[in-house]
Amino acid sequence: MAEPPHRGAGGWRGPAAAVAALVLVAGCGPPPGEAEGSGGLADDPKFVWAVTGADRPAHEAVARLWNENNPDRQVEVYFLAPTADEQRRALFQDLQSRAGDFDVLGLDVIWTGEFADFGYVESLEDLRPEVEGVSLPGALDSAQWQDELYALPYSSNGAFLYYRTDLVDEPPRTWEELYETGTAAAEEAGISGYVGQGDQYEGFVVTYLELFWSAGGELFDEDQTRSTFLEGDAAERSLDFMSRAHEGGLFAEGFDSMVEDDARALFQAGEAVYMRNWPYAIPLLEGEAGEESAVAGKFGVAPLPTFDGEGSTSALGGLNNAVSTLSDSKELAREFVLWAATDPGAQEALIEHSIAPTMLSIYEEAEDPNVQLLGEILTEAHPRPPVPGYNSLSLAVQDNVYPAYLGHEDPRKALEAVDRAAGEALGQE
Ligand code: GLC
């Protein structure tokens, strides 16, 4: 983990400077609505929210709702790149260079410890009573570091196994069953067996860890004092499954360079039997988002399989909103963060776009079976530990397990390197 040059708060730029910078960025980039840059949602912005450019319509709807209700305190959205690694880089750049263009930071659930440790985000501990019992407990846990809240839950995320109802009778319960039915149905239909997140980035880490957890593995002991990565055979078994899926043709060609939306596009074109993806894909696959879909009415969602057919393991994903210590609109930013966590309208805007909300009541009241299933998956979901050293652990998985599953590195060496990184990640507090 590279040490940023500065720690702690200080230095500010007014919203006017921030917006000027955003307009500049938007002015020379791709057309608005399609890529990174300002969302163009406010005519008189008072603060800026940096959030993922994936799931853009959902976050736009939330910002519009705020602006309608707060015409004198409008938020501008700055859409970051769609993948987690690029988002982290952009946020770090803003903070390290002390540009301070962003007031509210949409943080992936794995970054809390790191951003808190660097002094990049304000403590929101005093807001705990507002979210306790309101937000999903797992989402709340992910927003804290050393028992202190540094962000508030906003959107959650959990894995679905998408499957083609016209090609397989039942969703598989075990990875082996998935392997067999996936390769057989793929061969018959002349398409691929499985698409998902196989590129060398955080999404790959999620793919690997979901296999690892579903083989009974745990990264750390309960007190988070030491790595248990190599205990039992989960690390090996999950890597072995990936190598076999790569060599034996379960994974689609190009799996090793796919991020979420590549997989979604292939599945939507009818090119795969199975897909691991987040819930955002549902409306697109149904053909409800203005794009054609070859699989509308021909797919179902189920929990991911496990190795022994018992239970299911998804990684817990999602975003928490934090207040930047460089913000000069901290009060307003705090209010927005609290509103986005607790306002039923804001949280409903998420589920309307098939993005998992963090408010418990939405799941409790849900009638849509997919939302009910998502609620169950999220309750059981496995957190990636938001320790400050998480990023270096993630990079160790990316740098070692990725080449190993492609047959370019010795599996044992790769797993030992991850074990060392897991131990070191704990030491970097
Ligand atoms: C999704 C999840 C996030 C995860 C990322 C990996 O955006 O919400 O938590 O890190 O995917 O690609």
Side-chain angles (χ1 to χ4, degrees):
M1 186 170 53
E3 184 80 15
H6 305 286
R7 273 176 182 249
W12 65 275
R13 286 172 71 179
V19 170
L22 296 174
V23 169
L24 262 182
V25 173
C28 43
E34 285 181 19
E36 285 166 65
S38 171
L41 298 175
D43 42 38
D44 180 21
K46 295 289 192 289
F47 65 108
V48 177
W49 175 29
V51 72
T52 175
D55 322 324
R56 189 170 171 148
H59 309 306
E60 265 180 17
V62 171
R64 282 188 206 286
L65 188 62
W66 168 272
N67 288 347
E68 271 162 39
N69 296 331
N70 299 275
D72 300 332
R73 303 184 308 153
Q74 291 182 28
V75 65
E76 184 52 279
V77 185
Y78 185 89
F79 287 107
L80 301 165
T83 60
D85 307 58
E86 292 169 287
Q87 290 158 26
R88 180 177 168 280
R89 254 194 301 281
L91 293 175
F92 258 88
Q93 200 181 343
D94 173 81
L95 293 154
Q96 279 178 346
S97 69
R98 308 189 71 71
D101 284 342
F102 310 134
D103 302 283
V104 176
L105 311 178
L107 298 187
D108 198 310
V109 288
I110 48 192
W111 300 332
T112 313
E114 192 181 23
F115 277 69
D117 202 46
F118 282 140
Y120 285 164
V121 289
E122 294 285 314
S123 169
L124 299 178
E125 182 56 30
D126 60 316
L127 296 177
R128 184 183 289 276
E130 311 276 347
V131 284
E132 223 152 29
V134 172
S135 301
L136 290 162
L140 200 57
D141 281 351
S142 76
Q144 61 184 14
W145 169 240
Q146 292 181 331
D147 298 324
E148 183 153 357
L149 274 177
Y150 286 97
L152 297 189
Y154 166 60
S155 71
S156 190
N157 228 346
F160 280 145
L161 175 72
Y162 291 78
Y163 65 101
R164 287 281 296 277
T165 47
D166 56 334
L167 302 179
V168 289
D169 298 335
E170 294 270 322
R173 300 291 300 274
T174 67
W175 288 112
E176 203 46 51
E177 230 177 285
L178 181 146
Y179 193 101
E180 279 159 26
T181 52
T183 43
E187 204 180 315
E188 209 174 307
I191 58 174
S192 301
Y194 192 84
V195 292
Q197 294 78 62
D199 197 3
Q200 193 169 0
Y201 77 120
E202 183 59 30
F204 172 81
V205 179
V206 166
T207 298
Y208 176 70
L209 287 178
E210 285 174 342
L211 282 159
F212 169 76
W213 289 320
S214 77
E218 288 295 341
L219 286 168
F220 304 126
D221 65 334
E222 265 187 31
D223 305 329
Q224 296 208 338
T225 53
R226 65 187 176 85
S227 165
T228 52
F229 180 67
L230 290 179
E231 283 179 16
D233 65 354
E236 228 172 310
R237 208 169 169 193
S238 41
L239 173 54
D240 186 58
F241 180 83
M242 290 195 81
S243 307
R244 216 155 50 85
H246 169 66
E247 276 166 30
L250 171 69
F251 287 169
E253 216 183 299
F255 183 85
D256 57 352
S257 60
M258 269 177 218
V259 301
E260 280 81 358
D261 222 37
D262 302 317
R264 191 273 305 165
L266 280 169
F267 192 84
Q268 188 168 328
E271 290 299 325
V273 181
Y274 293 121
M275 169 171 75
R276 185 261 174 235
N277 220 326
W278 310 101
Y280 84 95
I282 292 181
L284 290 148
L285 302 180
E286 291 290 11
E288 288 166 359
E291 262 183 48
E292 297 254 311
S293 172
V295 298
K298 289 197 235 164
F299 73 94
V301 295
L304 288 179
T306 56
F307 280 95
D308 64 5
E310 297 296 319
S312 169
T313 313
S314 164
L316 182 72
L319 285 180
N320 302 313
N321 282 321
V323 176
S324 165
T325 45
L326 297 183
S327 168
D328 66 322
S329 309
K330 291 196 182 101
E331 263 316 305
L332 195 45
R334 268 168 60 95
E335 260 186 69
F336 175 81
V337 168
L338 178 59
W339 172 83
T342 56
D343 182 75
Q347 290 279 307
E348 267 156 29
L350 292 175
I351 198 64
E352 275 161 21
H353 290 86
S354 199
I355 301 302
T358 50
M359 239 172 131
L360 281 163
S361 57
I362 307 245
Y363 299 97
E364 286 159 5
E365 291 156 18
E367 281 168 19
D368 179 338
N370 288 345
V371 179
Q372 292 170 352
L373 175 62
L374 179 60
E376 285 161 30
I377 289 174
L378 293 177
T379 313
E380 300 290 316
H382 235 87
R384 287 159 288 163
V387 294
Y390 177 80
N391 195 59
S392 42
L393 170 56
S394 165
L395 290 178
V397 175
Q398 297 180 31
D399 293 346
N400 294 284
V401 179
Y402 178 85
Y405 102 88
L406 295 173
H408 304 150
E409 197 185 325
D410 175 59
R412 193 68 212 166
K413 266 200 199 145
L415 298 178
E416 280 167 4
V418 173
D419 186 49
R420 277 195 303 279
E424 282 161 22
L426 294 174
Q428 289 177 351
E429 290 175 17

